[in-house]
Amino acid sequence: MCLQERLKIRGCKTLLAPGQRVGIVPNTPNINDTALIFEGGGMRASYTAGVVVTLLEEGLLFADVYGISAGSSHTVNYISGDIRRSKESFVDFMGEPGTSGLRTFLTGKGYFNARYIYQEACMPGEKLVFDFDAFCANPACAHIESFDATAGETVYWTKADMPDLYMLMTRVRASSTMPWFMPAVVLDGHLYYDGGIGDSWGLPLAQAKRDGYKKFFVVRTQERGYRKSEDKHPMLTRALFPRKKILAERMLNRWRCYNEILDELDALERDGKAIVFCPEHMTIKNTTTKPELLEASYAAGYAQAQRELPRWRSFL
């Protein structure tokens, strides 16, 4: 289906979120020449949740949204138009008992209790309800990536692969499953891990380019100028995954490929073909779970997004 066919006018409705201005549940994308791309980064996404909320509040509605790892949660929250959930997923909810920590890790559920976070809490009546009807009603396309460790290849999922809420959130979980920290997701007998290990290396720029885009709005979770360092303990990484050699090698090589994508992004930005949001000061880690630190991170990201709005509008 071509881009124009996806942009049928279906009207829109408003949503009043606690503590926020009136937001918009998007049913009509109004930006069709620029791809929206969300980088992963675990709980650093609490900062960029402020970008998601700002885009929704301002009615900046992209027709194609790409996300990997934590960026996949941003992707589906954004397309569903849920301002409340966009923040809560990475801030308030992490204060809920049983969501993360050493206890959940030692019981085999992972440092982040992924099954509960992604596949249970999203259901009707639970703590982090997801509006699947709003997600489906929005003609915007969702693009999520994960790494199939069994086949040793990247997988690309769109709405066609997400016919119901459970299948949607299973794929979001698969895209977000950090090796070692979280148990693999099993789909059709294959083991799936974080999309950051796949061919996009955490930033799905290549897929957006394959889809024909030449302009990009990229939301990163690292400060400007950041470059990933080479793994200082390769033997340990290989020892942690003795039966998953392809997974281990991709983790060891990720730094080089990731940095090459950042170099490409810098060039696109210099040429006026990309706008890249980078946190001014990233004060938390991808595993930070203290609600007060996540709240401060979100507030800083939201404030920066508000300051950058004029620049975004000029680019778009």
Side-chain angles (χ1 to χ4, degrees), residues 154-175:
T154 304
V155 292
Y156 306 91
W157 292 315
T158 64
K159 278 186 174 178
D161 304 298
M162 309 165 189
D164 56 46
L165 177 58
Y166 183 82
M167 293 306 293
L168 167 65
M169 286 303 174
T170 297
R171 281 159 173 75
V172 173
R173 176 188 171 188
S175 180

Side-chain angles (χ1 to χ4, degrees), residues 12-267:
C12 62
K13 57 184 178 179
T14 58
L15 169 70
L16 184 61
Q20 300 291 345
R21 300 198 304 273
V22 173
I24 298 176
V25 176
N27 279 331
T28 308
N30 52 29
I31 301 169
N32 56 31
D33 66 342
T34 304
L36 175 59
I37 298 173
F38 289 112
E39 181 178 23
M43 300 314 298
R44 292 196 303 272
S46 58
Y47 196 103
T48 50
V51 175
V52 180
V53 170
T54 297
L55 291 173
L56 290 174
E57 287 181 338
E58 299 299 323
L60 299 175
L61 312 176
F62 293 76
D64 278 277
V65 189
Y66 300 77
I68 287 179
S69 194
S72 66
S73 287
H74 279 342
T75 295
V76 300
N77 287 337
Y78 172 82
I79 291 178
S80 75
D82 194 331
I83 289 175
R84 174 199 61 81
R85 196 178 197 276
S86 295
K87 175 192 175 186
E88 193 168 335
S89 295
F90 292 99
V91 182
D92 316 82
F93 182 65
M94 297 315 298
E96 291 291 326
T99 57
S100 63
L102 184 60
R103 179 174 297 179
T104 64
F105 182 78
L106 293 177
T107 56
K109 298 176 182 177
Y111 183 82
F112 293 101
N113 185 354
R115 176 173 291 280
Y116 172 62
I117 292 171
Y118 295 102
Q119 294 169 299
E120 297 175 7
C122 65
M123 294 296 173
E126 295 298 329
K127 296 286 187 179
L128 199 62
V129 175
F130 182 82
D131 192 336
F132 187 68
D133 288 340
F135 175 81
C136 293
N138 187 345
C141 289
H143 306 261
I144 294 175
E145 296 182 24
S146 183
F147 183 70
D148 181 342
T150 303
E153 61 186 22
T154 304
V155 292
Y156 306 91
W157 292 315
T158 64
K159 278 186 174 178
D161 304 298
M162 309 165 189
D164 56 46
L165 177 58
Y166 183 82
M167 293 306 293
L168 167 65
M169 286 303 174
T170 297
R171 281 159 173 75
V172 173
R173 176 188 171 188
S175 180
S176 308
T177 297
M178 294 185 287
W180 193 75
F181 282 97
M182 301 154 78
V185 172
V186 181
L187 281 171
D188 299 324
H190 285 223
L191 301 178
Y192 290 88
Y193 285 97
D194 198 296
I197 307 167
D199 294 340
S200 293
W201 305 105
L203 274 164
L205 175 65
Q207 184 60 40
K209 289 171 64 178
R210 284 192 291 269
D211 288 341
Y213 281 99
K214 301 184 184 303
K215 287 181 63 181
F216 312 93
F217 189 108
V218 183
V219 183
R220 295 192 52 211
T221 57
Q222 295 284 10
E223 295 178 13
R224 188 172 296 278
Y226 169 85
R227 291 297 185 273
K228 191 174 290 293
S229 301
E230 185 175 2
D231 194 322
K232 296 180 180 179
H233 306 286
M235 292 183 65
L236 176 60
T237 298
R238 292 188 178 98
L240 288 171
F241 304 98
R243 298 181 181 179
K244 303 181 182 67
K245 294 182 179 180
I246 294 177
L247 178 67
E249 293 306 316
R250 291 187 74 90
M251 291 174 66
L252 292 173
N253 291 318
R254 187 187 173 211
W255 68 276
R256 183 184 295 106
C257 301
Y258 175 77
N259 291 346
E260 288 175 356
I261 294 176
L262 296 185
D263 292 340
E264 182 180 1
L265 266 183
D266 286 348

